[in-house]
């Protein structure tokens, strides 16, 4: 018999957390296959923290600056928070730190990321400016499993957005962000249903 309990998800953020909010809302629907039980930030001033609290979700901050150059020590502190909340799946949502192989290995096949491009195009930063500069007809977003290579893991879902003739990186990013808010909850839900049926 499949386990009927919603999968316990933590969302890692560094900023506004609009994807995080979309994931929390989806997880609070009746019958959702996942529930966001923790929002973790590496930045004490991340705007998403107050949004999560207002939605009744536990938050924690592990400020990377306290760990200097020791990335793994920072990740061990993050991981302790994940363990303390019995987290089963981690969703990166605008988490702007590179991960070490240690944390990636610890959450292998259990960590997802959303990236604002149609991977494998434009891993890394400035994705919208690069799509416009290349004259692409389409931009978009991808949800993928996290592996050691940056933005390289297997793609679980994508959503395309037409590039308009007068688009700037800012205007394009707004439309892609709206597509992200639909794609991420849907893809995470599919992933969590799959986990429970294993
Ligand atoms: C989103 O567009 C997300 O795809 C991107 O940061 C934004 C975060 O917005 N992530 C990356 O660029 C990761 N490489 P949000 O905080 O409002 O969800």
């Amino acid at each position: 018999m499949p386990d009927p309990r919603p999968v316990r998800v933590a969302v890692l953020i560094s900023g506004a957390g609009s994807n995080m909010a979309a994931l929390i809302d989806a997880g609070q629907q009746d019958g959702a296959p996942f529930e966001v039980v923790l929002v973790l930030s590496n930045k004490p001033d991340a705007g998403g923290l107050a949004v999560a609290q207002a939605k009744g979700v536990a938050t924690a901050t592990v400020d990377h600056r306290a760990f200097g150059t020791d990335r793994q020590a920072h990740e061990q502190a993050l991981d302790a928070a994940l363990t303390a909340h019995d987290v089963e799946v981690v969703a990166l949502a605008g988490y702007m730190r590179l991960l070490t192989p240690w944390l990636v290995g610890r959450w292998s096949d259990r960590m997802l990321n959303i990236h604002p491009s149609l991977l494998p195009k434009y891993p890394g930063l400035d994705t919208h400016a690069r799509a416009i500069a290349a004259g692409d007809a389409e931009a978009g977003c991808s949800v993928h499993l996290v592996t050691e290579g940056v933005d390289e893991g297997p793609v679980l879902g994508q959503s395309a957005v037409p590039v308009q003739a007068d688009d700037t990186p800012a205007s394009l990013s707004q439309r892609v962000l709206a597509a992200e808010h639909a794609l991420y909850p849907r893809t995470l839900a599919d992933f969590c249903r799959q986990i429970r049926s294993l």
Side-chain angles (χ1 to χ4, degrees):
M1 261 259 299
D3 184 341
R5 290 170 308 156
V7 173
R8 295 175 65 80
V9 170
V11 184
L12 265 60
I13 63 168
S14 300
S18 68
N19 277 290
M20 169 215 78
L23 293 177
I24 292 174
D25 290 348
Q28 289 179 343
Q29 301 299 310
D30 279 348
F34 67 87
E35 177 190 5
V36 177
V37 297
L38 176 66
V39 170
L40 254 182
S41 172
N42 66 307
K43 290 191 161 191
D45 59 351
L49 290 169
V51 177
Q53 285 156 14
K55 290 177 182 293
V57 176
T59 63
T61 299
V62 184
D63 191 337
H64 63 275
R65 291 171 302 190
F67 297 85
T69 56
D70 193 344
R71 284 179 178 269
Q72 190 170 319
H74 174 242
E75 290 178 352
Q76 279 164 341
L78 289 174
D79 191 59
L82 297 172
T83 304
H85 285 81
D86 293 323
V87 168
E88 300 175 83
V89 166
V90 174
L92 307 182
Y95 184 71
M96 303 309 270
R97 301 272 302 166
L98 295 177
L99 303 181
T100 74
W102 179 79
L103 194 70
V104 173
R106 168 89 182 80
W107 289 91
S108 172
D109 293 327
R110 290 286 186 275
M111 184 183 276
L112 281 62
N113 181 42
I114 187 153
H115 182 74
S117 78
L118 295 171
L119 291 171
K121 276 192 161 183
Y122 314 129
L125 298 175
D126 300 323
T127 54
H128 305 303
R130 288 153 73 197
I132 291 170
D136 292 354
E138 282 189 328
C141 47
S142 307
V143 173
H144 65 95
L145 280 172
V146 175
T147 55
E148 283 189 26
V150 175
D151 302 325
E152 275 182 12
V155 170
L156 302 177
Q158 286 187 316
S159 181
V161 171
V163 178
Q164 294 170 1
D166 58 351
D167 258 330
T168 61
S171 65
L172 182 56
S173 86
Q174 269 191 344
R175 292 203 315 286
V176 171
L177 196 58
E180 293 181 40
H181 298 161
L183 177 70
Y184 209 175
R186 186 169 76 230
T187 310
L188 180 62
D190 288 346
F191 181 79
C192 290
R193 275 189 213 100
Q194 230 169 354
I195 286 184
R196 280 294 188 249
S197 66
L198 286 178

